[in-house]
Amino acid sequence: MNQNQIQNPETQIPKTPQMNDRDFLNDMLTTEKYMTSSYNVFLHEASHQQLYQDMMNIFTETQNCQRELYNLMFKKGWYKLEAADQQKLQQSYQQFQGYTNQFPYQNTVQ
């Protein structure tokens, strides 16, 4: 396994032409990500308060479901992450730290 990858041991599944548990979970996770993103756009543009609140509740449920699916896939080793390179993180931090002098209220941002 790559040193930069963060992953649990992979739960083995049969390799067949039919969809397996990993395929179904991956499809569900992708759908939940899409739905969360779409609800987010709606929330940015909603003008009616009650409709906004109802959609916010649905968004929260969808986001929680997406997180549970991600956690399950990660636990089974079907979702892996790349460890961040510390040097790249430091470079990004320094780059964006330099932008703070462009804020209109410099003394209020920490």
Side-chain angles (χ1 to χ4, degrees):
M1 182 164 73
N2 184 343
Q3 291 282 2
N4 290 333
Q5 285 188 347
I6 301 169
Q7 178 182 16
N8 287 316
E10 188 171 341
T11 301
Q12 296 301 310
I13 47 175
K15 302 215 185 292
T16 65
Q18 291 80 26
M19 287 182 71
N20 54 43
D21 288 347
R22 179 182 175 179
D23 295 332
F24 282 113
L25 284 174
N26 191 48
D27 185 53
M28 290 167 57
L29 179 61
T30 301
T31 300
E32 293 297 329
K33 286 180 178 181
Y34 172 76
M35 289 172 57
T36 300
S37 183
S38 297
Y39 290 145
N40 192 40
V41 171
F42 177 89
L43 290 169
H44 286 293
E45 299 176 1
S47 61
H48 187 274
Q49 185 58 37
Q50 186 58 51
L51 182 57
Y52 171 85
Q53 194 57 53
D54 290 344
M55 194 57 73
M56 180 58 113
N57 293 337
I58 295 169
F59 169 82
T60 302
E61 289 176 17
T62 305
Q63 182 66 35
N64 291 339
C65 184
Q66 180 268 319
R67 186 65 184 179
E68 289 176 25
L69 288 167
Y70 160 80
N71 286 335
L72 179 60
M73 290 192 70
F74 186 76
K75 178 181 172 184
K76 291 186 171 285
W78 298 337
Y79 203 105
K80 46 188 127 169
L81 306 171
E82 280 294 316
D85 179 293
Q86 289 299 318
Q87 185 177 359
K88 288 181 182 178
L89 282 174
Q90 188 61 32
Q91 287 172 346
S92 293
Y93 174 78
Q94 289 172 352
Q95 174 187 354
F96 290 105
Q97 188 66 24
Y99 294 159
T100 59
N101 64 359
Q102 298 175 20
F103 293 151
Y105 305 104
Q106 291 180 21
N107 296 331
T108 61
V109 177
Q110 296 294 320

